[in-house]
Amino acid sequence: MSKPLFQAAEVLDMAIDIERQGLAFYTGCIAARASEAVSEVFEYAADQERRHIELFARMKQDLAEYTVPESYPGETLSYLRGFTKTRVFSTIDEATCSAEAVRDELEAVEMAIELEQSAIAFYSGIKQIVRSSEQDVVEEIIAEEHRHIRRLLQLKDALQYQDD
Amino acid sequence: MRAADELPVTEDITRFYRPELARVIAKQRLSEMMVLLRLQLNSAETLDHGPGQFLQISLPGYGEAPISFCSSPTRTESFEICVAAVGNLSQAMHHLRPGDFVGVRGPYGHGFPVNDMRGRDILCIAGGIGLAPLRSLINYVADRRSEFGRMILVYGARKPGERLFKDDLAVWDARDDFETRYTVDEADADWTGRTGVVTIPLRDEVEIDPGRTTAAVVGPPVMYRFVAAELLEKGMVAEDILFSLERRFKCGMGKCGHCQLNDLYVCQDGPVFRYSQLLGRSEAIEVWAPEDERK
């Protein structure tokens, strides 16, 4: 019996899922008539998520040959699930529903920060399994996610200041 | 011609190949796949191994295989190995009984650098049968407890029935000076503990002082990269993360090339490596993609 193998491309599918969930959340919040200030930041973040989806899809094509031996089928996916346990959403539908259900803009921004933080944690992990040439791309994506967080934190401060 | 007694004294290299007889003094089934064998050299000498080293075990008619010690060198009256029934030799070893003999040679390889680990907090992370070689280190720390800082063990098995050394796990769990986190990937109806891979309790429940912690990691190949990511996230540096890579052992002497990782032989240069040693080596699939062009 041959040993089970994990196809590393699957991890990039998970990264694409995370980006799609982010995109669904940002576009959902904008559709729910967010203020101009919030819409501006969320549109910027949504554009970046679209670009990240393309980058991960391109990376996946190059990874097709890479496999990892497993001690039982699904072992690597179990570790990946463990890695993404802190993910804010588990499906795109859940992200869309959450966007529709947020009570106010402050809650939406806080949820967006959580979303970006969990994406950074995941991408830090996948940096370990892509080729060194692709690590720069992942690093760039992580840096962009950090920039999103900075903008979101500024927005959160502005919203809190407004409330005060 | 010079007389024989004038010839330069050369090392007797046959000793590297000549097995010594060892007697099975106890056998314990640990799981469906694993048995623990307690052995004693027929000569009553000790092998003087270090935690993380391995030895070659042979059975006439079946062959020879490298297996890690799972007992601490501090317990000198005998030594123990844990055997997984995966091939002809190991299946034959499952049928051994107390009083039977096997051939042993060793110890081989570089184990855990216990001298460098003294005074530091020890974080052991074991996945599946990786607990077997780590048990040697854990009991070494237990027996020399005052020489080390905190002792933290995170252990994950695939299923509750596949957990090894249940008696030891209970003893370590009961100790005030051990911090333990046990988990299984897939729970059954009777399991009441944690569920999920070993990196989950490592991330969520283990707080460390990264500057004074040394991590010792043994498990399946896929586990290493995820554990490494969690440990780096906690602030550890690659130099303080020790990985034991036991895959592909064969001759144990750097001759057959089965275990070669770029310029390293796992059986001779390892099996224990610092993570920092592996980072630039493209064949270390535990940490990098094999097609990585980095040298």
Side-chain angles (χ1 to χ4, degrees):
Chain A
M1 198 176 72
S2 61
K3 283 195 168 183
L5 292 170
F6 170 71
Q7 304 288 333
E10 289 176 55
V11 73
L12 294 174
D13 281 334
M14 295 176 80
I16 290 168
D17 274 352
I18 288 175
E19 295 296 334
R20 284 188 177 142
Q21 287 156 16
L23 180 61
F25 179 73
Y26 289 127
T27 52
C29 287
I30 295 163
R33 284 195 288 271
S35 69
E36 196 179 325
V38 172
S39 290
E40 189 196 336
V41 177
F42 279 21
E43 271 168 17
Y44 150 79
D47 278 347
Q48 297 252 297
E49 308 293 47
R50 285 188 195 97
R51 203 172 67 80
H52 294 173
I53 291 169
E54 284 173 22
L55 287 171
F56 283 127
R58 206 176 307 150
M59 232 183 275
K60 189 184 153 192
Q61 284 174 347
D62 296 338
L63 263 182
E65 297 302 314
Y66 172 36
T67 56
V68 181
E70 296 184 313
S71 46
Y72 64 86
E75 186 180 31
T76 310
L77 278 178
S78 298
Y79 278 96
L80 282 167
R81 284 196 198 99
F83 215 91
T84 54
K85 191 186 167 211
T86 51
R87 273 164 65 180
V88 180
F89 309 123
S90 49
T91 63
I92 293 172
D93 284 348
E94 193 185 324
T96 308
C97 290
S98 298
E100 288 164 359
V102 287
R103 284 186 306 251
D104 52 38
E105 292 192 323
L106 186 61
E107 191 186 27
V109 172
E110 283 170 346
M111 208 175 266
I113 292 169
E114 260 188 86
L115 194 68
E116 300 289 350
Q117 282 171 336
S118 67
I120 289 170
F122 184 71
Y123 301 153
S124 303
I126 71 169
K127 222 173 49 172
Q128 301 287 339
I129 69 156
V130 295
R131 292 183 297 186
S132 53
S133 55
E134 287 158 344
Q135 286 182 346
D136 293 342
V137 181
V138 179
E139 280 287 6
E140 189 193 323
I141 293 172
I142 289 172
E144 283 176 358
E145 304 289 10
H146 276 296
R147 282 197 288 276
H148 297 181
I149 290 179
R150 277 198 293 277
R151 284 194 71 168
L152 289 164
L153 285 170
Q154 285 167 353
L155 185 60
K156 184 182 168 188
D157 281 349
L159 290 171
Q160 279 173 328
Y161 180 73
Q162 241 175 28
D163 289 346
D164 294 343
Chain B
M1 207 169 97
R2 286 189 296 180
D5 58 357
E6 290 174 15
L7 289 172
V9 177
T10 54
E11 194 177 15
D12 174 17
I13 60 164
T14 60
R15 70 189 173 86
F16 292 117
Y17 297 96
R18 195 169 45 226
E20 283 189 68
L21 274 183
R23 190 165 49 90
V24 178
I25 56 172
K27 176 183 170 185
Q28 183 190 354
R29 181 159 288 283
L30 298 176
S31 71
E32 195 182 331
M33 286 286 288
M34 308 291 289
V35 294
L36 176 71
L37 296 176
R38 182 173 301 151
L39 304 163
Q40 210 168 39
L41 287 183
N42 211 30
S43 61
E45 288 180 9
T46 60
L47 282 168
D48 202 22
H49 69 280
Q53 283 193 297
F54 66 96
L55 77 169
Q56 292 281 358
I57 292 274
S58 55
L59 269 184
Y62 290 95
E64 186 178 52
I67 299 183
S68 291
F69 290 94
C70 63
S71 55
S72 168
T74 50
R75 303 174 186 188
T76 53
E77 67 283 0
S78 59
F79 59 95
E80 291 171 330
I81 55 167
C82 191
V83 183
V86 291
N88 286 341
L89 172 64
S90 52
Q91 277 167 7
M93 289 179 70
H94 270 228
H95 292 107
L96 290 171
R97 289 179 298 190
D100 289 343
F101 285 92
V102 296
V104 300
R105 56 187 180 94
Y108 294 120
H110 286 87
F112 293 102
V114 286
N115 288 334
D116 295 346
M117 296 163 84
R118 286 208 169 80
R120 294 177 63 80
D121 294 344
I122 308 299
L123 168 58
C124 289
I125 303 159
I129 59 175
L131 184 61
L134 267 181
R135 177 177 178 257
S136 175
L137 176 66
I138 295 164
N139 280 332
Y140 182 89
V141 173
D143 291 347
R144 295 167 169 258
R145 195 64 196 90
S146 62
E147 297 175 19
F148 297 89
R150 290 168 67 197
M151 172 67 214
I152 309 159
L153 168 63
V154 187
Y155 171 50
R158 182 186 177 188
K159 296 174 179 174
E162 294 180 11
R163 298 168 83 226
L164 300 180
F165 305 111
K166 293 187 185 81
D167 294 345
D168 291 276
L169 293 173
V171 167
W172 298 331
D173 200 33
R175 286 182 69 131
D176 290 339
D177 56 356
F178 270 46
E179 301 164 51
T180 56
R181 307 283 186 277
Y182 304 148
T183 183
V184 295
D185 296 1
E186 300 165 24
D188 60 20
D190 298 326
W191 178 252
T192 55
R194 295 172 187 82
T195 304
V197 291
V198 73
T199 43
I200 297 175
L202 173 65
R203 178 190 60 211
D204 296 342
E205 300 178 39
V206 176
E207 285 185 19
I208 56 166
D209 178 345
R212 53 168 293 127
T213 302
T214 298
V217 185
V218 194
V222 296
M223 188 185 95
Y224 291 89
R225 65 193 70 213
F226 292 100
V227 167
E230 297 294 352
L231 294 176
L232 295 176
E233 182 69 22
K234 287 181 185 295
M236 288 192 69
V237 294
E239 187 73 9
D240 293 333
I241 300 171
L242 305 171
F243 285 158
S244 181
L245 310 181
E246 301 182 353
R247 71 201 176 100
R248 296 188 294 185
F249 272 175
K250 184 71 178 169
C251 73
M253 300 175 68
K255 300 294 180 200
C256 73
H258 267 73
C259 65
Q260 194 170 355
L261 288 181
N262 298 90
D263 56 327
L264 298 177
Y265 288 104
V266 174
C267 67
Q268 283 202 312
D269 301 305
V272 176
F273 295 96
R274 293 182 189 276
Y275 182 33
S276 49
Q277 285 177 279
L278 301 174
L279 284 175
R281 291 183 163 87
S282 59
E283 288 175 9
I285 60 158
E286 289 83 355
V287 294
W288 290 116
E291 72 270 39
D292 196 326
E293 63 271 26
R294 180 192 329 228
K295 292 280 179 282

Short mmCIF file of all heavy atoms in Angstrom, two decimals, chain B residues 207-255:
data_model
loop_
_atom_site.label_atom_id
_atom_site.label_comp_id
_atom_site.label_asym_id
_atom_site.label_seq_id
_atom_site.Cartn_x
_atom_site.Cartn_y
_atom_site.Cartn_z
N GLU B 207 2.57 28.86 27.46
CA GLU B 207 3.30 30.14 27.48
C GLU B 207 4.74 29.85 27.86
O GLU B 207 5.00 29.10 28.79
CB GLU B 207 2.67 31.09 28.49
CG GLU B 207 1.36 31.67 27.98
CD GLU B 207 0.79 32.70 28.92
OE1 GLU B 207 1.55 33.22 29.76
OE2 GLU B 207 -0.41 32.96 28.81
N ILE B 208 5.65 30.44 27.11
CA ILE B 208 7.06 30.18 27.38
C ILE B 208 7.84 31.48 27.45
O ILE B 208 7.38 32.52 26.96
CB ILE B 208 7.70 29.28 26.28
CG1 ILE B 208 7.51 29.92 24.89
CG2 ILE B 208 7.16 27.87 26.33
CD1 ILE B 208 8.37 29.30 23.81
N ASP B 209 9.00 31.38 28.05
CA ASP B 209 9.97 32.47 27.97
C ASP B 209 10.92 32.06 26.84
O ASP B 209 11.78 31.19 27.02
CB ASP B 209 10.72 32.59 29.30
CG ASP B 209 11.79 33.68 29.26
OD1 ASP B 209 12.13 34.13 28.14
OD2 ASP B 209 12.29 34.05 30.33
N PRO B 210 10.75 32.63 25.64
CA PRO B 210 11.49 32.10 24.49
C PRO B 210 13.00 32.16 24.64
O PRO B 210 13.72 31.32 24.10
CB PRO B 210 11.02 32.99 23.33
CG PRO B 210 10.40 34.18 23.94
CD PRO B 210 9.90 33.78 25.29
N GLY B 211 13.49 33.09 25.41
CA GLY B 211 14.93 33.24 25.57
C GLY B 211 15.56 32.14 26.40
O GLY B 211 16.77 31.91 26.32
N ARG B 212 14.76 31.48 27.24
CA ARG B 212 15.36 30.45 28.10
C ARG B 212 14.77 29.06 27.83
O ARG B 212 14.88 28.14 28.64
CB ARG B 212 15.24 30.81 29.59
CG ARG B 212 13.85 31.14 30.09
CD ARG B 212 13.81 31.19 31.61
NE ARG B 212 14.03 29.86 32.16
CZ ARG B 212 14.96 29.57 33.08
NH1 ARG B 212 15.76 30.48 33.55
NH2 ARG B 212 15.08 28.33 33.54
N THR B 213 14.11 28.92 26.65
CA THR B 213 13.47 27.65 26.34
C THR B 213 14.19 26.94 25.20
O THR B 213 14.58 27.56 24.22
CB THR B 213 12.00 27.89 25.94
OG1 THR B 213 11.33 28.55 27.01
CG2 THR B 213 11.28 26.57 25.64
N THR B 214 14.36 25.62 25.36
CA THR B 214 14.81 24.77 24.26
C THR B 214 13.67 23.81 23.94
O THR B 214 13.13 23.18 24.85
CB THR B 214 16.06 23.95 24.64
OG1 THR B 214 17.12 24.87 24.94
CG2 THR B 214 16.49 23.05 23.50
N ALA B 215 13.29 23.74 22.67
CA ALA B 215 12.20 22.84 22.27
C ALA B 215 12.80 21.59 21.64
O ALA B 215 13.72 21.68 20.81
CB ALA B 215 11.27 23.54 21.30
N ALA B 216 12.27 20.43 22.01
CA ALA B 216 12.68 19.15 21.42
C ALA B 216 11.45 18.56 20.75
O ALA B 216 10.43 18.36 21.39
CB ALA B 216 13.20 18.21 22.50
N VAL B 217 11.56 18.33 19.44
CA VAL B 217 10.38 17.98 18.64
C VAL B 217 10.62 16.66 17.91
O VAL B 217 11.62 16.52 17.21
CB VAL B 217 10.09 19.10 17.60
CG1 VAL B 217 8.81 18.82 16.85
CG2 VAL B 217 10.06 20.47 18.26
N VAL B 218 9.70 15.71 18.07
CA VAL B 218 9.76 14.46 17.30
C VAL B 218 8.35 14.07 16.89
O VAL B 218 7.44 14.01 17.73
CB VAL B 218 10.37 13.28 18.09
CG1 VAL B 218 10.73 12.14 17.13
CG2 VAL B 218 11.60 13.70 18.87
N GLY B 219 8.16 13.81 15.61
CA GLY B 219 6.83 13.44 15.15
C GLY B 219 6.83 13.14 13.67
O GLY B 219 7.90 12.98 13.05
N PRO B 220 5.65 13.06 13.07
CA PRO B 220 5.58 12.78 11.64
C PRO B 220 6.11 13.96 10.82
O PRO B 220 6.10 15.11 11.31
CB PRO B 220 4.08 12.57 11.39
CG PRO B 220 3.41 13.32 12.50
CD PRO B 220 4.32 13.24 13.67
N PRO B 221 6.58 13.72 9.59
CA PRO B 221 7.19 14.80 8.80
C PRO B 221 6.34 16.07 8.69
O PRO B 221 6.87 17.18 8.79
CB PRO B 221 7.38 14.16 7.41
CG PRO B 221 7.52 12.71 7.70
CD PRO B 221 6.65 12.42 8.89
N VAL B 222 5.03 15.90 8.54
CA VAL B 222 4.19 17.10 8.33
C VAL B 222 4.10 17.97 9.58
O VAL B 222 3.76 19.14 9.50
CB VAL B 222 2.76 16.76 7.86
CG1 VAL B 222 2.77 16.09 6.51
CG2 VAL B 222 2.04 15.90 8.88
N MET B 223 4.40 17.39 10.74
CA MET B 223 4.23 18.13 11.98
C MET B 223 5.26 19.25 12.15
O MET B 223 4.96 20.31 12.70
CB MET B 223 4.33 17.16 13.16
CG MET B 223 4.00 17.75 14.50
SD MET B 223 4.31 16.56 15.84
CE MET B 223 5.95 17.03 16.35
N TYR B 224 6.47 19.02 11.64
CA TYR B 224 7.59 19.90 11.96
C TYR B 224 7.37 21.35 11.53
O TYR B 224 7.61 22.28 12.28
CB TYR B 224 8.88 19.36 11.35
CG TYR B 224 9.35 18.09 12.01
CD1 TYR B 224 8.91 16.85 11.57
CD2 TYR B 224 10.21 18.13 13.09
CE1 TYR B 224 9.33 15.68 12.18
CE2 TYR B 224 10.65 16.96 13.70
CZ TYR B 224 10.20 15.74 13.24
OH TYR B 224 10.61 14.59 13.85
N ARG B 225 6.91 21.52 10.29
CA ARG B 225 6.79 22.90 9.79
C ARG B 225 5.75 23.70 10.58
O ARG B 225 5.92 24.88 10.81
CB ARG B 225 6.47 22.90 8.31
CG ARG B 225 5.14 22.32 7.97
CD ARG B 225 5.01 22.06 6.49
NE ARG B 225 5.86 20.97 6.09
CZ ARG B 225 6.46 20.89 4.91
NH1 ARG B 225 6.30 21.83 4.04
NH2 ARG B 225 7.20 19.86 4.61
N PHE B 226 4.68 22.99 11.00
CA PHE B 226 3.63 23.69 11.75
C PHE B 226 4.10 24.00 13.18
O PHE B 226 3.80 25.07 13.71
CB PHE B 226 2.34 22.86 11.76
CG PHE B 226 1.72 22.77 10.40
CD1 PHE B 226 1.88 21.66 9.60
CD2 PHE B 226 0.99 23.84 9.88
CE1 PHE B 226 1.34 21.58 8.34
CE2 PHE B 226 0.44 23.78 8.62
CZ PHE B 226 0.62 22.65 7.84
N VAL B 227 4.79 23.06 13.78
CA VAL B 227 5.35 23.30 15.11
C VAL B 227 6.36 24.45 15.04
O VAL B 227 6.37 25.35 15.88
CB VAL B 227 6.01 22.02 15.67
CG1 VAL B 227 6.86 22.34 16.90
CG2 VAL B 227 4.94 20.99 16.03
N ALA B 228 7.20 24.43 14.00
CA ALA B 228 8.21 25.49 13.85
C ALA B 228 7.54 26.86 13.76
O ALA B 228 7.97 27.81 14.42
CB ALA B 228 9.06 25.23 12.61
N ALA B 229 6.47 26.92 12.97
CA ALA B 229 5.77 28.21 12.81
C ALA B 229 5.23 28.70 14.15
O ALA B 229 5.32 29.89 14.48
CB ALA B 229 4.64 28.07 11.79
N GLU B 230 4.66 27.77 14.94
CA GLU B 230 4.11 28.17 16.25
C GLU B 230 5.23 28.62 17.20
O GLU B 230 5.07 29.59 17.94
CB GLU B 230 3.35 27.01 16.90
CG GLU B 230 2.12 26.52 16.14
CD GLU B 230 0.99 27.53 16.04
OE1 GLU B 230 1.06 28.60 16.70
OE2 GLU B 230 0.04 27.27 15.28
N LEU B 231 6.35 27.90 17.17
CA LEU B 231 7.44 28.25 18.09
C LEU B 231 8.08 29.59 17.71
O LEU B 231 8.42 30.38 18.58
CB LEU B 231 8.50 27.13 18.11
CG LEU B 231 8.01 25.79 18.69
CD1 LEU B 231 9.11 24.73 18.58
CD2 LEU B 231 7.58 25.94 20.14
N LEU B 232 8.23 29.82 16.41
CA LEU B 232 8.79 31.11 15.97
C LEU B 232 7.82 32.23 16.35
O LEU B 232 8.23 33.31 16.76
CB LEU B 232 9.05 31.10 14.47
CG LEU B 232 10.12 30.12 13.97
CD1 LEU B 232 10.22 30.13 12.45
CD2 LEU B 232 11.49 30.43 14.58
N GLU B 233 6.53 31.95 16.22
CA GLU B 233 5.50 32.92 16.60
C GLU B 233 5.60 33.27 18.09
O GLU B 233 5.33 34.39 18.50
CB GLU B 233 4.11 32.34 16.27
CG GLU B 233 2.93 33.22 16.55
CD GLU B 233 2.84 34.43 15.62
OE1 GLU B 233 3.43 34.37 14.54
OE2 GLU B 233 2.19 35.42 16.02
N LYS B 234 6.03 32.29 18.88
CA LYS B 234 6.18 32.53 20.32
C LYS B 234 7.49 33.24 20.65
O LYS B 234 7.81 33.46 21.81
CB LYS B 234 6.12 31.20 21.10
CG LYS B 234 4.71 30.61 21.18
CD LYS B 234 4.69 29.32 21.96
CE LYS B 234 3.31 28.67 21.93
NZ LYS B 234 2.27 29.45 22.60
N GLY B 235 8.27 33.51 19.63
CA GLY B 235 9.50 34.28 19.85
C GLY B 235 10.77 33.46 19.94
O GLY B 235 11.84 33.99 20.21
N MET B 236 10.65 32.13 19.73
CA MET B 236 11.86 31.31 19.79
C MET B 236 12.72 31.53 18.55
O MET B 236 12.21 31.92 17.50
CB MET B 236 11.50 29.82 19.92
CG MET B 236 10.95 29.48 21.28
SD MET B 236 10.85 27.69 21.54
CE MET B 236 12.59 27.25 21.64
N VAL B 237 14.00 31.25 18.67
CA VAL B 237 14.89 31.32 17.50
C VAL B 237 15.19 29.90 17.03
O VAL B 237 15.12 28.94 17.81
CB VAL B 237 16.20 32.08 17.82
CG1 VAL B 237 15.92 33.54 18.13
CG2 VAL B 237 16.95 31.42 18.98
N ALA B 238 15.53 29.78 15.73
CA ALA B 238 15.72 28.46 15.12
C ALA B 238 16.82 27.65 15.81
O ALA B 238 16.79 26.42 15.83
CB ALA B 238 16.02 28.62 13.63
N GLU B 239 17.78 28.34 16.39
CA GLU B 239 18.88 27.67 17.07
C GLU B 239 18.41 26.86 18.29
O GLU B 239 19.03 25.85 18.64
CB GLU B 239 19.87 28.77 17.52
CG GLU B 239 21.18 28.30 18.10
CD GLU B 239 22.13 27.71 17.04
OE1 GLU B 239 21.83 27.84 15.85
OE2 GLU B 239 23.14 27.14 17.47
N ASP B 240 17.34 27.29 18.89
CA ASP B 240 16.85 26.64 20.13
C ASP B 240 15.76 25.61 19.87
O ASP B 240 15.16 25.09 20.80
CB ASP B 240 16.32 27.70 21.10
CG ASP B 240 17.42 28.59 21.63
OD1 ASP B 240 18.57 28.12 21.68
OD2 ASP B 240 17.13 29.75 21.97
N ILE B 241 15.49 25.34 18.59
CA ILE B 241 14.47 24.35 18.25
C ILE B 241 15.18 23.10 17.73
O ILE B 241 15.90 23.17 16.73
CB ILE B 241 13.49 24.91 17.19
CG1 ILE B 241 12.80 26.17 17.73
CG2 ILE B 241 12.46 23.85 16.80
CD1 ILE B 241 11.98 26.93 16.68
N LEU B 242 15.00 21.99 18.42
CA LEU B 242 15.68 20.75 18.05
C LEU B 242 14.70 19.79 17.41
O LEU B 242 13.65 19.47 18.01
CB LEU B 242 16.28 20.09 19.30
CG LEU B 242 17.23 20.96 20.14
CD1 LEU B 242 17.56 20.26 21.45
CD2 LEU B 242 18.50 21.25 19.36
N PHE B 243 15.02 19.35 16.22
CA PHE B 243 14.18 18.38 15.50
C PHE B 243 14.93 17.05 15.42
O PHE B 243 16.09 17.03 15.00
CB PHE B 243 13.91 18.84 14.07
CG PHE B 243 12.92 19.96 13.94
CD1 PHE B 243 12.92 20.77 12.80
CD2 PHE B 243 11.98 20.21 14.92
CE1 PHE B 243 12.01 21.80 12.65
CE2 PHE B 243 11.07 21.24 14.77
CZ PHE B 243 11.07 22.04 13.64
N SER B 244 14.25 15.97 15.77
CA SER B 244 14.86 14.65 15.55
C SER B 244 14.24 14.07 14.28
O SER B 244 13.03 13.85 14.23
CB SER B 244 14.61 13.74 16.75
OG SER B 244 15.23 12.49 16.51
N LEU B 245 15.07 13.83 13.29
CA LEU B 245 14.59 13.30 12.00
C LEU B 245 15.03 11.85 11.89
O LEU B 245 16.19 11.56 11.63
CB LEU B 245 15.18 14.09 10.84
CG LEU B 245 15.09 15.61 10.88
CD1 LEU B 245 15.71 16.19 9.62
CD2 LEU B 245 13.65 16.08 11.01
N GLU B 246 14.11 10.94 12.08
CA GLU B 246 14.51 9.53 12.11
C GLU B 246 14.16 8.80 10.82
O GLU B 246 14.35 7.60 10.71
CB GLU B 246 13.84 8.85 13.28
CG GLU B 246 14.22 9.53 14.57
CD GLU B 246 13.64 8.86 15.76
OE1 GLU B 246 12.82 7.96 15.58
OE2 GLU B 246 13.99 9.24 16.86
N ARG B 247 13.62 9.54 9.88
CA ARG B 247 13.16 8.89 8.65
C ARG B 247 14.35 8.29 7.88
O ARG B 247 15.47 8.78 7.96
CB ARG B 247 12.42 9.89 7.79
CG ARG B 247 13.33 10.92 7.18
CD ARG B 247 12.61 12.16 6.77
NE ARG B 247 13.58 13.13 6.28
CZ ARG B 247 13.83 13.35 5.01
NH1 ARG B 247 13.19 12.68 4.09
NH2 ARG B 247 14.71 14.24 4.66
N ARG B 248 14.07 7.27 7.14
CA ARG B 248 15.00 6.70 6.18
C ARG B 248 16.31 6.16 6.77
O ARG B 248 17.27 5.98 6.05
CB ARG B 248 15.31 7.72 5.07
CG ARG B 248 14.10 8.07 4.26
CD ARG B 248 14.47 8.90 3.07
NE ARG B 248 14.98 10.21 3.42
CZ ARG B 248 15.29 11.15 2.56
NH1 ARG B 248 15.12 10.93 1.28
NH2 ARG B 248 15.74 12.32 2.94
N PHE B 249 16.34 5.94 8.07
CA PHE B 249 17.52 5.29 8.63
C PHE B 249 17.72 3.93 7.99
O PHE B 249 16.75 3.21 7.77
CB PHE B 249 17.30 5.02 10.11
CG PHE B 249 17.67 6.13 11.02
CD1 PHE B 249 17.41 6.03 12.36
CD2 PHE B 249 18.28 7.27 10.56
CE1 PHE B 249 17.74 7.03 13.23
CE2 PHE B 249 18.63 8.29 11.42
CZ PHE B 249 18.35 8.16 12.77
N LYS B 250 18.92 3.54 7.76
CA LYS B 250 19.14 2.18 7.27
C LYS B 250 20.42 1.63 7.93
O LYS B 250 20.34 0.89 8.89
CB LYS B 250 19.24 2.16 5.74
CG LYS B 250 19.37 0.79 5.15
CD LYS B 250 18.08 -0.01 5.26
CE LYS B 250 18.26 -1.37 4.60
NZ LYS B 250 17.14 -2.26 4.89
N CYS B 251 21.58 2.03 7.42
CA CYS B 251 22.81 1.40 7.92
C CYS B 251 23.25 2.00 9.25
O CYS B 251 23.90 1.33 10.04
CB CYS B 251 23.93 1.53 6.90
SG CYS B 251 24.62 3.18 6.76
N GLY B 252 22.91 3.25 9.49
CA GLY B 252 23.30 3.88 10.75
C GLY B 252 24.74 4.36 10.78
O GLY B 252 25.21 4.85 11.80
N MET B 253 25.44 4.20 9.67
CA MET B 253 26.87 4.52 9.67
C MET B 253 27.28 5.45 8.53
O MET B 253 28.46 5.55 8.20
CB MET B 253 27.68 3.23 9.57
CG MET B 253 27.41 2.31 10.73
SD MET B 253 28.25 0.75 10.53
CE MET B 253 29.94 1.26 10.69
N GLY B 254 26.32 6.08 7.89
CA GLY B 254 26.65 7.02 6.82
C GLY B 254 27.19 6.36 5.57
O GLY B 254 27.89 6.98 4.78
N LYS B 255 26.90 5.07 5.38
CA LYS B 255 27.43 4.36 4.21
C LYS B 255 26.39 4.21 3.10
O LYS B 255 26.73 4.29 1.92
CB LYS B 255 27.92 2.96 4.62
CG LYS B 255 29.01 2.97 5.64
CD LYS B 255 30.29 3.58 5.09
CE LYS B 255 31.40 3.59 6.13
NZ LYS B 255 32.43 4.57 5.80
#
